[in-house]
Amino acid sequence: MTTQLLGTSFIGYSRSSGTEICGHGIQPGTCTVLEPAYMAATPDEVEKALSLAAAAFPAYSQLPGKTRAVFLRAIADGIEGVVEDIVERGQLETALPEPRLRGETGRTVCQLRMFAKQIEEGSWVDARIDRAQPDRKPLPKADHRAMLCPLGPVAVFCASNFPLAYSVAGGDTASALAAGCPVVVVAHSSHPGVAEIVANAVIAAAQANGMPEGVFSVLYGGGRKVGQAVVKHPVIQAVGFTGSRAGGTALMATANARPQPIPVYAEMSSVNPVVILPSALVRGEEALAEAFFGSLTLGVGQFCTNPGLVFLPVNTGEVFLAKLKSLIEAGSPSMMLNAGICKAFADATSSFATAAGVATLARSTTEAGSGQGAPMAFIVSVADFLKSEVLQGEMFGPATLIVRGSLEEIEAAIPHLEGQLTASIHSTVEELAAHPGLVPALQNRSGRLIFNGFPTGVEVCDSIVHGGPFPATSDGRSTSVGTMAIFRFTRPVTWQSFPDALLPAELQDANPLGIKRMES
Ligand code: NAP
């Protein structure tokens, strides 16, 4: 490995010393302790990182989009340069296979380059110009010009299930840096070494491109201690988080209890309902079961878009269920990301298995080894599903709940679902014409609607929404994936009656950046 791991936080351009070990990387399954030990950032070091971020904000936020884009591209290049280190350490820390780690690294650098392109072009600031009308009757109108501006330093919590694409230099960090916000990252204990490798690349890119110190820091020490301190700190103006409902809601409570409350963009819990109508079964029940099983077990089910809930009308789909049963029984247990996630999966599946009215449709016939999760499916009636709070919860792993009832019962159940990242519907245009309320009901509960497909595999693009009503996210008006993610870290500002020379370039009369604007 070319990167030398030191086990300490990045406080701007310095490395901390720390005084207390907060953990090691741990190999899932074998529980082998990996070197080095990671030192928790001390309160003074946390303070230093935050004051550096505050000091960096004025200069960094004023940099032209093209300059920030060079920085983002340099981070992407730097990460590509250490991909072998990422793969080597990532396999040890996360048990994710090499192709997944390479693929996720590719996605991470693509995201950075996507935001670089967005801010190079510049129209994302949504510039609006209402020119003065001094002769307007009965009152003259003053010149008003508005655009989106960066919020200030942002705290980003790394996600255990995306050690690259939603961690140190993942989508939250990339969108915040693109918007013009310094970032203070709280590392996840599940992959500290990968975090250090990526952080080195970000810091090298910042230094090589003359970014102000404090534009980026990474803190070790855990969310409950260091993370809470960061979110409470007056310097921080927004939070990006992916993880559990308990963690996300705890951070929302902390952010709301501040003298100045701040937005928390937490992506938490989603079971991604799949509704299968009879017309979809006509096309081939076995093929549908195979595609569903593929989505259910992808990445050992450790995706926020895992299809954890299926609505299947009674008296249909018997071949689908039989095929799914045989696939699950033959399915192999696989290593999960860490011992905590494995235990949470075991606890959730045993709560489902013992909930009132639930039968086990299938479980893998191979017993799961240490640290492993095995595919399983449960089955319940719509009536029992609606009575149970447990059954609306997430089993984070390769398990799903099949809910059966009449089509009318299924339609009536949809509005009672919690907020979701996605909702999938398998049907035909003709059949849906007879159920005109179904798609609008799913739309009200989710951020992405999928027709005749499954929810895993999130395209990173301009029109993707990876968000949804609570508890899928803490703020269903936002997305954490795609170019719209940048808006989370901005606020609109109006310049009234300002001389041209004092306006940002985006709002000047001559439109020197050549961006798209709304003008009247
Ligand atoms: P987590 O427990 O929510 O932890 C994520 C991060 O938040 C960690 O850095 C953690 O720090 C921090 N944190 C947790 N509780 C906190 C609190 N009260 N105050 C401040 N920070 C806090 O998530 P996880 O460790 O990644 O996985 C645990 C479970 O979350 C999984 O089993 C799964 O059920 C769910 N999960 C869901 C998704 C999804 O996309 N839906 C993704 C990942 C995980 P510490 O290390 O100090 O605890």
Side-chain angles (χ1 to χ4, degrees), residues 345-382:
F345 179 62
D347 291 349
T349 50
S350 76
S351 303
F352 271 59
T354 53
V358 172
T360 300
L361 173 75
R363 51 177 80 228
S364 168
T365 52
T366 314
E367 202 171 322
S370 167
Q372 292 184 325
M376 53 192 99
F378 304 102
I379 198 154
V380 74
S381 68
V382 170

Short mmCIF file of all heavy atoms in Angstrom, two decimals, residues 345-382:
data_model
loop_
_atom_site.label_atom_id
_atom_site.label_comp_id
_atom_site.label_asym_id
_atom_site.label_seq_id
_atom_site.Cartn_x
_atom_site.Cartn_y
_atom_site.Cartn_z
N PHE A 345 -29.50 -6.70 11.72
CA PHE A 345 -30.27 -7.50 10.74
C PHE A 345 -30.89 -8.72 11.42
O PHE A 345 -32.07 -9.02 11.23
CB PHE A 345 -29.34 -7.91 9.59
CG PHE A 345 -30.03 -8.74 8.53
CD1 PHE A 345 -31.08 -8.24 7.78
CD2 PHE A 345 -29.62 -10.05 8.29
CE1 PHE A 345 -31.72 -9.00 6.81
CE2 PHE A 345 -30.26 -10.83 7.32
CZ PHE A 345 -31.31 -10.30 6.58
N ALA A 346 -30.09 -9.40 12.24
CA ALA A 346 -30.61 -10.59 12.94
C ALA A 346 -31.76 -10.19 13.87
O ALA A 346 -32.80 -10.87 13.92
CB ALA A 346 -29.48 -11.25 13.73
N ASP A 347 -31.61 -9.07 14.58
CA ASP A 347 -32.68 -8.62 15.50
C ASP A 347 -33.94 -8.27 14.72
O ASP A 347 -35.05 -8.63 15.12
CB ASP A 347 -32.22 -7.39 16.30
CG ASP A 347 -31.11 -7.74 17.29
OD1 ASP A 347 -30.86 -8.94 17.50
OD2 ASP A 347 -30.48 -6.80 17.83
N ALA A 348 -33.77 -7.54 13.59
CA ALA A 348 -34.94 -7.10 12.83
C ALA A 348 -35.68 -8.30 12.24
O ALA A 348 -36.91 -8.38 12.31
CB ALA A 348 -34.52 -6.14 11.72
N THR A 349 -34.94 -9.26 11.68
CA THR A 349 -35.62 -10.40 11.06
C THR A 349 -36.30 -11.26 12.13
O THR A 349 -37.38 -11.79 11.89
CB THR A 349 -34.64 -11.25 10.22
OG1 THR A 349 -33.49 -11.55 10.99
CG2 THR A 349 -34.22 -10.53 8.95
N SER A 350 -35.71 -11.34 13.32
CA SER A 350 -36.41 -12.16 14.32
C SER A 350 -37.64 -11.42 14.84
O SER A 350 -38.66 -12.05 15.14
CB SER A 350 -35.48 -12.67 15.42
OG SER A 350 -35.21 -11.65 16.30
N SER A 351 -37.64 -10.08 14.88
CA SER A 351 -38.86 -9.34 15.25
C SER A 351 -39.94 -9.54 14.20
O SER A 351 -41.12 -9.68 14.53
CB SER A 351 -38.61 -7.83 15.33
OG SER A 351 -37.62 -7.54 16.20
N PHE A 352 -39.55 -9.54 12.93
CA PHE A 352 -40.55 -9.75 11.88
C PHE A 352 -41.12 -11.17 11.99
O PHE A 352 -42.33 -11.37 11.89
CB PHE A 352 -39.92 -9.55 10.48
CG PHE A 352 -40.00 -8.12 9.98
CD1 PHE A 352 -39.43 -7.09 10.70
CD2 PHE A 352 -40.63 -7.81 8.79
CE1 PHE A 352 -39.48 -5.77 10.26
CE2 PHE A 352 -40.70 -6.51 8.33
CZ PHE A 352 -40.12 -5.48 9.07
N ALA A 353 -40.21 -12.14 12.18
CA ALA A 353 -40.64 -13.55 12.19
C ALA A 353 -41.65 -13.82 13.29
O ALA A 353 -42.52 -14.68 13.14
CB ALA A 353 -39.42 -14.46 12.34
N THR A 354 -41.55 -13.06 14.39
CA THR A 354 -42.43 -13.35 15.53
C THR A 354 -43.60 -12.36 15.64
O THR A 354 -44.37 -12.42 16.60
CB THR A 354 -41.62 -13.33 16.84
OG1 THR A 354 -40.89 -12.09 16.90
CG2 THR A 354 -40.63 -14.48 16.91
N ALA A 355 -43.72 -11.45 14.67
CA ALA A 355 -44.83 -10.48 14.72
C ALA A 355 -46.15 -11.19 14.41
O ALA A 355 -46.17 -12.20 13.69
CB ALA A 355 -44.57 -9.35 13.73
N ALA A 356 -47.24 -10.64 14.94
CA ALA A 356 -48.56 -11.29 14.78
C ALA A 356 -48.92 -11.43 13.32
O ALA A 356 -48.82 -10.47 12.54
CB ALA A 356 -49.61 -10.46 15.51
N GLY A 357 -49.34 -12.64 12.95
CA GLY A 357 -49.84 -12.89 11.59
C GLY A 357 -48.78 -13.16 10.55
O GLY A 357 -49.09 -13.39 9.39
N VAL A 358 -47.48 -13.12 10.97
CA VAL A 358 -46.40 -13.27 9.98
C VAL A 358 -46.01 -14.74 9.85
O VAL A 358 -45.84 -15.44 10.85
CB VAL A 358 -45.17 -12.44 10.39
CG1 VAL A 358 -43.97 -12.74 9.49
CG2 VAL A 358 -45.50 -10.96 10.34
N ALA A 359 -45.86 -15.19 8.59
CA ALA A 359 -45.32 -16.53 8.33
C ALA A 359 -44.01 -16.36 7.58
O ALA A 359 -43.83 -15.38 6.84
CB ALA A 359 -46.30 -17.34 7.48
N THR A 360 -43.09 -17.28 7.78
CA THR A 360 -41.84 -17.23 7.02
C THR A 360 -42.06 -17.93 5.68
O THR A 360 -42.41 -19.11 5.65
CB THR A 360 -40.71 -17.91 7.82
OG1 THR A 360 -40.56 -17.22 9.06
CG2 THR A 360 -39.38 -17.87 7.06
N LEU A 361 -41.87 -17.19 4.60
CA LEU A 361 -42.02 -17.79 3.26
C LEU A 361 -40.80 -18.64 2.96
O LEU A 361 -40.92 -19.77 2.49
CB LEU A 361 -42.16 -16.70 2.19
CG LEU A 361 -42.15 -17.21 0.76
CD1 LEU A 361 -43.47 -17.88 0.41
CD2 LEU A 361 -41.84 -16.10 -0.23
N ALA A 362 -39.63 -18.10 3.24
CA ALA A 362 -38.40 -18.84 2.91
C ALA A 362 -37.22 -18.24 3.63
O ALA A 362 -37.19 -17.03 3.91
CB ALA A 362 -38.15 -18.77 1.40
N ARG A 363 -36.25 -19.08 3.95
CA ARG A 363 -34.94 -18.59 4.39
C ARG A 363 -33.89 -19.48 3.79
O ARG A 363 -34.16 -20.64 3.47
CB ARG A 363 -34.82 -18.45 5.91
CG ARG A 363 -35.22 -19.64 6.72
CD ARG A 363 -34.97 -19.39 8.21
NE ARG A 363 -35.99 -18.60 8.88
CZ ARG A 363 -35.72 -17.55 9.67
NH1 ARG A 363 -34.49 -17.18 9.89
NH2 ARG A 363 -36.70 -16.91 10.27
N SER A 364 -32.70 -18.94 3.66
CA SER A 364 -31.60 -19.72 3.07
C SER A 364 -31.42 -21.02 3.85
O SER A 364 -31.45 -21.02 5.08
CB SER A 364 -30.32 -18.88 3.12
OG SER A 364 -29.22 -19.69 2.83
N THR A 365 -31.21 -22.11 3.14
CA THR A 365 -31.01 -23.39 3.84
C THR A 365 -29.58 -23.51 4.37
O THR A 365 -29.28 -24.41 5.13
CB THR A 365 -31.32 -24.58 2.91
OG1 THR A 365 -30.58 -24.39 1.71
CG2 THR A 365 -32.80 -24.67 2.59
N THR A 366 -28.72 -22.58 3.95
CA THR A 366 -27.34 -22.59 4.48
C THR A 366 -27.29 -21.67 5.69
O THR A 366 -27.73 -20.51 5.61
CB THR A 366 -26.35 -22.05 3.42
OG1 THR A 366 -26.65 -22.68 2.19
CG2 THR A 366 -24.91 -22.27 3.82
N GLU A 367 -26.79 -22.18 6.79
CA GLU A 367 -26.75 -21.36 8.00
C GLU A 367 -25.72 -20.24 7.85
O GLU A 367 -24.61 -20.47 7.33
CB GLU A 367 -26.41 -22.22 9.21
CG GLU A 367 -26.87 -21.55 10.48
CD GLU A 367 -26.75 -22.48 11.66
OE1 GLU A 367 -27.03 -23.68 11.51
OE2 GLU A 367 -26.35 -21.99 12.72
N ALA A 368 -26.10 -19.04 8.30
CA ALA A 368 -25.18 -17.90 8.19
C ALA A 368 -24.02 -18.08 9.17
O ALA A 368 -24.22 -18.43 10.33
CB ALA A 368 -25.93 -16.61 8.48
N GLY A 369 -22.80 -17.82 8.68
CA GLY A 369 -21.62 -17.87 9.55
C GLY A 369 -21.45 -16.54 10.27
O GLY A 369 -22.27 -15.62 10.13
N SER A 370 -20.35 -16.45 11.03
CA SER A 370 -20.08 -15.22 11.79
C SER A 370 -20.04 -14.01 10.86
O SER A 370 -19.32 -14.00 9.87
CB SER A 370 -18.74 -15.39 12.50
OG SER A 370 -18.31 -14.17 13.00
N GLY A 371 -20.83 -13.01 11.17
CA GLY A 371 -20.82 -11.76 10.40
C GLY A 371 -21.64 -11.79 9.13
O GLY A 371 -21.68 -10.80 8.40
N GLN A 372 -22.31 -12.93 8.86
CA GLN A 372 -23.02 -13.05 7.58
C GLN A 372 -24.51 -12.79 7.72
O GLN A 372 -25.11 -13.00 8.77
CB GLN A 372 -22.83 -14.46 7.01
CG GLN A 372 -21.40 -14.74 6.58
CD GLN A 372 -21.28 -16.11 5.92
OE1 GLN A 372 -21.96 -17.05 6.31
NE2 GLN A 372 -20.41 -16.20 4.93
N GLY A 373 -25.10 -12.38 6.60
CA GLY A 373 -26.55 -12.23 6.51
C GLY A 373 -27.06 -13.15 5.40
O GLY A 373 -26.43 -13.26 4.35
N ALA A 374 -28.20 -13.82 5.67
CA ALA A 374 -28.75 -14.76 4.68
C ALA A 374 -30.09 -14.25 4.19
O ALA A 374 -30.86 -13.66 4.95
CB ALA A 374 -28.93 -16.13 5.33
N PRO A 375 -30.40 -14.50 2.89
CA PRO A 375 -31.67 -14.03 2.36
C PRO A 375 -32.87 -14.67 3.06
O PRO A 375 -32.81 -15.85 3.44
CB PRO A 375 -31.65 -14.45 0.89
CG PRO A 375 -30.34 -15.07 0.62
CD PRO A 375 -29.59 -15.21 1.90
N MET A 376 -33.92 -13.89 3.23
CA MET A 376 -35.18 -14.45 3.75
C MET A 376 -36.36 -13.59 3.35
O MET A 376 -36.21 -12.44 2.96
CB MET A 376 -35.14 -14.69 5.27
CG MET A 376 -34.75 -13.59 6.16
SD MET A 376 -34.45 -14.21 7.84
CE MET A 376 -32.67 -14.35 7.86
N ALA A 377 -37.55 -14.22 3.41
CA ALA A 377 -38.78 -13.50 3.07
C ALA A 377 -39.89 -13.92 4.02
O ALA A 377 -39.99 -15.11 4.38
CB ALA A 377 -39.18 -13.79 1.63
N PHE A 378 -40.69 -12.94 4.40
CA PHE A 378 -41.84 -13.20 5.28
C PHE A 378 -43.11 -12.82 4.53
O PHE A 378 -43.06 -12.07 3.55
CB PHE A 378 -41.70 -12.37 6.57
CG PHE A 378 -40.41 -12.63 7.30
CD1 PHE A 378 -39.35 -11.73 7.21
CD2 PHE A 378 -40.24 -13.78 8.04
CE1 PHE A 378 -38.16 -11.97 7.87
CE2 PHE A 378 -39.04 -14.03 8.71
CZ PHE A 378 -37.99 -13.12 8.62
N ILE A 379 -44.23 -13.29 5.06
CA ILE A 379 -45.49 -13.04 4.37
C ILE A 379 -46.55 -12.69 5.42
O ILE A 379 -46.54 -13.25 6.52
CB ILE A 379 -45.83 -14.27 3.50
CG1 ILE A 379 -46.84 -13.94 2.44
CG2 ILE A 379 -46.21 -15.47 4.27
CD1 ILE A 379 -46.72 -14.87 1.23
N VAL A 380 -47.43 -11.74 5.07
CA VAL A 380 -48.43 -11.28 6.04
C VAL A 380 -49.61 -10.71 5.27
O VAL A 380 -49.48 -10.33 4.10
CB VAL A 380 -47.79 -10.21 6.98
CG1 VAL A 380 -47.60 -8.88 6.27
CG2 VAL A 380 -48.57 -10.03 8.25
N SER A 381 -50.77 -10.62 5.94
CA SER A 381 -51.94 -10.01 5.28
C SER A 381 -51.85 -8.48 5.41
O SER A 381 -51.18 -7.96 6.32
CB SER A 381 -53.21 -10.50 5.95
OG SER A 381 -53.27 -9.97 7.27
N VAL A 382 -52.57 -7.79 4.53
CA VAL A 382 -52.61 -6.32 4.61
C VAL A 382 -53.11 -5.90 5.99
O VAL A 382 -52.55 -4.99 6.62
CB VAL A 382 -53.52 -5.73 3.51
CG1 VAL A 382 -53.76 -4.25 3.74
CG2 VAL A 382 -52.92 -5.95 2.12
#
